[in-house]
Amino acid sequence: MDVQLLLTLAIIHLAALASPGPDFALVIKLSAQENRAVALAAATGISSAILIHTLLSLLGLSLIIHSSERLFMLLQVIGASYLAWMGVGAIKAALAHWRDPVSLEKQQQSQGLHARDGFLQGLYTNLLNPKALVFFITLFSTLITPQVSIATKAAAATLLFTLSMMWFSLIATVLTKASVQIKLKKATPVINLLTGCIFISVAVVIISALIR
């Protein structure tokens, strides 16, 4: 097993996890507005999507998708549409909160998300993001050569999934502490607005790349 390779993968992946993006924004948003089970489910969904991306890259399927112009374009359109839809929803929630904070808060309390919803939001946010697909293709095509053993590849997949779970679960656990969540709830419209802007910005970047 190539320990040095795994260490390199871990460092690069941790840097990517810590950078602001749709995954990070989603976990913060759900941690601020939902219970811990939903936030942890979102962390699991994101980590599961990362595992899927990892396996697709290791098996060479991601490269096939990326090489097919029509297939990759379809994935980009679907991914951008989903991210834009999530972004618009977050911005609308922010505007609605500023217009009528009392009624919206009551509505959110009665219509809280289930853990399954959090998992699916996390899964789709990462899995349908074409930038994530390209990231893992680049990462593995650069570091994982044909000479790398199956044991190292299996360890790499396990490592990236575990690091993702630890990172996003840590964020979800810390931010859903009662004292922290009370403060975050006061900033709910701002969090929604920033989350919406991040999602829409990524969607715009994806679509802009398509029409060039």
Side-chain angles (χ1 to χ4, degrees):
M1 189 176 297
D2 192 335
V3 177
Q4 185 175 355
L5 173 60
L6 294 175
L7 181 60
T8 302
L9 281 173
I11 293 172
I12 295 173
H13 187 55
L14 283 173
L17 289 175
S19 61
D23 298 338
F24 193 81
L26 178 67
V27 174
I28 291 179
K29 177 178 180 294
L30 294 182
S31 297
Q33 301 170 16
E34 304 293 336
N35 59 51
R36 180 168 292 175
V38 174
L40 289 174
T44 305
I46 293 169
S47 302
S48 299
I50 288 172
L51 178 60
I52 292 172
H53 277 302
T54 301
L55 295 176
L56 289 176
S57 296
L58 289 173
L59 294 172
L61 297 178
S62 291
L63 189 58
I64 294 175
I65 294 173
H66 190 253
S67 300
S68 172
E69 185 176 346
R70 290 185 179 181
L71 187 58
F72 187 56
M73 182 179 293
L74 178 62
L75 175 63
Q76 288 178 297
V77 171
I78 293 174
S81 299
Y82 176 76
L83 294 174
W85 175 71
M86 290 284 288
V88 170
I91 291 176
K92 287 173 66 176
L95 296 176
H97 190 282
W98 277 317
R99 283 197 300 266
D100 191 357
V102 176
S103 62
L104 182 64
E105 186 174 349
K106 290 180 179 179
Q107 181 180 353
Q108 288 177 338
Q109 289 175 350
S110 62
Q111 298 179 350
L113 296 178
H114 296 290
R116 178 177 177 274
D117 300 318
F119 176 83
L120 291 177
Q121 283 191 20
L123 181 72
Y124 295 151
T125 296
N126 185 277
L127 193 60
L128 295 178
N129 187 352
K131 293 172 71 67
L133 177 72
V134 174
F135 170 77
F136 284 102
I137 290 175
T138 304
L139 182 64
F140 285 102
S141 63
T142 303
L143 297 178
I144 305 293
T145 63
Q147 289 73 35
V148 174
S149 66
I150 294 178
T152 300
K153 291 179 180 179
T158 304
L159 176 65
L160 298 192
F161 173 78
T162 303
L163 289 175
S164 303
M165 273 298 299
M166 290 175 61
W167 173 252
F168 289 116
S169 295
L170 175 63
I171 296 173
T173 301
V174 171
L175 296 185
T176 50
K177 287 183 178 180
S179 58
V180 178
Q181 198 173 48
I182 289 173
K183 295 178 181 178
L184 288 176
K185 281 186 180 296
K186 295 178 181 178
T188 290
V190 176
I191 292 173
N192 280 334
L193 181 62
L194 292 175
T195 300
C197 289
I198 290 173
F199 274 74
I200 291 175
S201 295
V202 175
V204 169
V205 169
I206 294 169
I207 295 299
S208 297
L210 281 175
I211 61 180
R212 284 177 184 172

Short mmCIF file of all heavy atoms in Angstrom, two decimals, residues 82-92 192-193 195-197 199-200:
data_model
loop_
_atom_site.label_atom_id
_atom_site.label_comp_id
_atom_site.label_asym_id
_atom_site.label_seq_id
_atom_site.Cartn_x
_atom_site.Cartn_y
_atom_site.Cartn_z
N TYR A 82 -30.13 22.09 -11.32
CA TYR A 82 -30.41 21.73 -9.93
C TYR A 82 -29.82 22.77 -8.97
O TYR A 82 -30.49 23.22 -8.04
CB TYR A 82 -29.84 20.34 -9.61
CG TYR A 82 -30.02 19.96 -8.15
CD1 TYR A 82 -31.26 19.55 -7.67
CD2 TYR A 82 -28.95 20.05 -7.25
CE1 TYR A 82 -31.43 19.22 -6.34
CE2 TYR A 82 -29.12 19.73 -5.92
CZ TYR A 82 -30.36 19.31 -5.46
OH TYR A 82 -30.54 18.99 -4.14
N LEU A 83 -28.57 23.15 -9.20
CA LEU A 83 -27.92 24.13 -8.34
C LEU A 83 -28.64 25.48 -8.40
O LEU A 83 -28.83 26.15 -7.38
CB LEU A 83 -26.46 24.29 -8.73
CG LEU A 83 -25.56 23.05 -8.48
CD1 LEU A 83 -24.16 23.30 -9.04
CD2 LEU A 83 -25.48 22.72 -7.01
N ALA A 84 -29.05 25.88 -9.61
CA ALA A 84 -29.78 27.14 -9.77
C ALA A 84 -31.11 27.08 -9.05
O ALA A 84 -31.52 28.05 -8.40
CB ALA A 84 -29.98 27.45 -11.25
N TRP A 85 -31.80 25.96 -9.16
CA TRP A 85 -33.10 25.78 -8.49
C TRP A 85 -32.94 25.88 -6.98
O TRP A 85 -33.72 26.55 -6.30
CB TRP A 85 -33.68 24.42 -8.89
CG TRP A 85 -34.95 24.07 -8.16
CD1 TRP A 85 -36.18 24.65 -8.31
CD2 TRP A 85 -35.10 23.07 -7.14
NE1 TRP A 85 -37.10 24.06 -7.46
CE2 TRP A 85 -36.47 23.09 -6.74
CE3 TRP A 85 -34.24 22.16 -6.56
CZ2 TRP A 85 -36.96 22.22 -5.77
CZ3 TRP A 85 -34.73 21.29 -5.59
CH2 TRP A 85 -36.08 21.33 -5.19
N MET A 86 -31.90 25.23 -6.44
CA MET A 86 -31.62 25.31 -5.01
C MET A 86 -31.28 26.74 -4.61
O MET A 86 -31.71 27.23 -3.56
CB MET A 86 -30.47 24.37 -4.65
CG MET A 86 -30.81 22.89 -4.73
SD MET A 86 -31.80 22.35 -3.32
CE MET A 86 -30.57 22.39 -2.02
N GLY A 87 -30.50 27.42 -5.46
CA GLY A 87 -30.10 28.79 -5.16
C GLY A 87 -31.27 29.75 -5.14
O GLY A 87 -31.40 30.58 -4.23
N VAL A 88 -32.14 29.63 -6.14
CA VAL A 88 -33.33 30.50 -6.20
C VAL A 88 -34.22 30.26 -4.99
O VAL A 88 -34.77 31.20 -4.39
CB VAL A 88 -34.11 30.25 -7.51
CG1 VAL A 88 -35.46 30.95 -7.48
CG2 VAL A 88 -33.30 30.73 -8.71
N GLY A 89 -34.37 28.99 -4.61
CA GLY A 89 -35.18 28.65 -3.44
C GLY A 89 -34.64 29.29 -2.17
O GLY A 89 -35.40 29.80 -1.34
N ALA A 90 -33.32 29.27 -2.02
CA ALA A 90 -32.69 29.86 -0.84
C ALA A 90 -32.87 31.37 -0.81
O ALA A 90 -33.16 31.97 0.24
CB ALA A 90 -31.20 29.50 -0.80
N ILE A 91 -32.72 32.02 -1.96
CA ILE A 91 -32.88 33.48 -2.03
C ILE A 91 -34.33 33.88 -1.78
O ILE A 91 -34.61 34.85 -1.07
CB ILE A 91 -32.40 34.01 -3.39
CG1 ILE A 91 -30.88 33.85 -3.50
CG2 ILE A 91 -32.80 35.47 -3.57
CD1 ILE A 91 -30.31 34.26 -4.83
N LYS A 92 -35.27 33.10 -2.32
CA LYS A 92 -36.69 33.37 -2.08
C LYS A 92 -37.02 33.24 -0.59
O LYS A 92 -37.80 34.03 -0.05
CB LYS A 92 -37.55 32.42 -2.91
CG LYS A 92 -37.57 32.74 -4.40
CD LYS A 92 -38.30 31.67 -5.19
CE LYS A 92 -39.77 31.62 -4.85
NZ LYS A 92 -40.49 30.63 -5.69
N ASN A 192 -29.30 32.15 4.10
CA ASN A 192 -30.03 31.74 2.90
C ASN A 192 -29.58 32.52 1.68
O ASN A 192 -29.40 31.96 0.59
CB ASN A 192 -31.54 31.93 3.12
CG ASN A 192 -32.16 30.80 3.91
OD1 ASN A 192 -31.66 29.68 3.91
ND2 ASN A 192 -33.25 31.08 4.60
N LEU A 193 -29.41 33.83 1.87
CA LEU A 193 -29.00 34.68 0.75
C LEU A 193 -27.62 34.29 0.24
O LEU A 193 -27.41 34.15 -0.98
CB LEU A 193 -29.01 36.15 1.18
CG LEU A 193 -28.63 37.17 0.10
CD1 LEU A 193 -29.62 37.12 -1.06
CD2 LEU A 193 -28.58 38.58 0.70
N THR A 195 -26.08 31.42 0.69
CA THR A 195 -26.17 30.07 0.12
C THR A 195 -26.73 30.12 -1.30
O THR A 195 -26.20 29.48 -2.22
CB THR A 195 -27.08 29.17 0.99
OG1 THR A 195 -26.52 29.08 2.30
CG2 THR A 195 -27.19 27.77 0.39
N GLY A 196 -27.79 30.91 -1.47
CA GLY A 196 -28.38 31.05 -2.80
C GLY A 196 -27.40 31.63 -3.80
O GLY A 196 -27.32 31.17 -4.94
N CYS A 197 -26.65 32.63 -3.38
CA CYS A 197 -25.66 33.26 -4.27
C CYS A 197 -24.56 32.28 -4.66
O CYS A 197 -24.12 32.25 -5.81
CB CYS A 197 -25.04 34.48 -3.58
SG CYS A 197 -26.17 35.88 -3.43
N PHE A 199 -24.80 28.92 -4.79
CA PHE A 199 -25.37 27.92 -5.70
C PHE A 199 -25.56 28.50 -7.10
O PHE A 199 -25.21 27.86 -8.11
CB PHE A 199 -26.71 27.42 -5.16
CG PHE A 199 -26.59 26.28 -4.19
CD1 PHE A 199 -26.15 26.48 -2.90
CD2 PHE A 199 -26.92 24.99 -4.57
CE1 PHE A 199 -26.04 25.44 -2.00
CE2 PHE A 199 -26.82 23.93 -3.69
CZ PHE A 199 -26.37 24.16 -2.40
N ILE A 200 -26.13 29.69 -7.17
CA ILE A 200 -26.37 30.31 -8.48
C ILE A 200 -25.06 30.66 -9.17
O ILE A 200 -24.94 30.51 -10.40
CB ILE A 200 -27.26 31.55 -8.32
CG1 ILE A 200 -28.68 31.12 -7.91
CG2 ILE A 200 -27.31 32.36 -9.62
CD1 ILE A 200 -29.62 32.27 -7.61
#
